[in-house]
Amino acid sequence: ADLRAVQRDQPNSIALQRDLARAYLQNDDSTLAEETLRTAVQSSPNSVDLRLDLAQLLMQTGQSGQALTLLEKLAGEQPANLPVLEALFGAQIARKDLVAARRTAGLVQSAKPELPTGNYLSGVAELADGKADAARAAFERAVALAPAAVDPVTALVRLDLTQQHPDQAIARLD
């Protein structure tokens, strides 16, 4: 049986809808993938995963405005959901809305202060705004919370290298 036949038998299966959309994407058919995800979201409007998948697809296909609207609504409904906030932040950074991205990084810090994610995202926003010193401070706060967190350590190493401090970069990696 193929996925479409199973879909007719189980039209409300979230897992099946997500798999079918992925199959369309692998077949380079983003239009059918989007249609499948939109139909799935209509059938299961409370599924965070489906809405995140749709937002990601919209970003990939250059429909960042629609993705941002969807993510903002989702973040309003799920204000402490880390994957939702991270996706919203990514969309804001992609659209170069640094004020909104900083606000979202702050929401992450408030929602999950024990995690390095909020500080890391704050550093990304500062770096995107050309504020290397503020970015470094945010990345260092993230590393202080989780010394083994890959993203903030990597960001610091890249910043060290960009600012011509290879000795610091090497020291971070030891």
Side-chain angles (χ1 to χ4, degrees):
D2 68 1
L3 277 176
R4 282 181 275 204
V6 177
Q7 181 187 24
R8 281 190 293 276
D9 295 337
Q10 301 175 35
N12 295 325
S13 169
I14 292 172
L16 182 63
Q17 296 297 331
R18 292 178 81 198
D19 287 344
L20 185 57
R22 283 188 198 108
Y24 285 137
L25 279 176
Q26 287 181 350
N27 202 33
D28 290 325
D29 196 337
S30 60
T31 303
L32 278 176
E34 181 181 339
E35 181 182 308
T36 300
L37 287 173
R38 285 189 185 280
T39 300
V41 167
Q42 287 175 349
S43 298
S44 302
N46 294 325
S47 172
V48 173
D49 290 338
L50 281 173
R51 292 190 284 171
L52 280 173
D53 286 352
L54 178 57
Q56 181 180 11
L57 176 64
L58 292 170
M59 288 295 296
Q60 290 172 353
T61 58
Q63 300 173 70
S64 61
Q66 289 182 43
L68 190 58
T69 299
L70 178 62
L71 290 167
E72 286 171 342
K73 182 178 181 197
L74 192 51
E77 297 167 9
Q78 305 270 326
N81 185 312
L82 193 55
V84 168
L85 293 174
E86 287 178 307
L88 176 59
F89 176 86
Q92 292 164 333
I93 287 290
R95 291 180 60 94
K96 299 187 184 345
D97 187 349
L98 301 180
V99 171
R102 282 188 184 98
R103 185 173 51 247
T104 300
L107 291 173
V108 172
Q109 286 173 321
S110 297
K112 306 285 184 180
E114 72 282 3
L115 297 178
T117 311
N119 286 300
Y120 170 71
L121 296 179
S122 178
V124 170
E126 295 300 340
L127 199 55
D129 199 19
K131 298 179 179 177
D133 291 339
R136 178 180 299 283
F139 293 145
E140 286 175 351
R141 287 191 305 273
V143 169
L145 286 170
V150 174
D151 289 337
V153 170
T154 302
L156 280 169
V157 167
R158 287 183 180 151
L159 195 53
D160 288 337
L161 293 173
T162 300
Q163 295 182 328
Q164 306 298 315
H165 301 295
D167 293 341
Q168 283 181 309
I170 292 168
R172 288 184 200 286
L173 297 172
D174 283 341

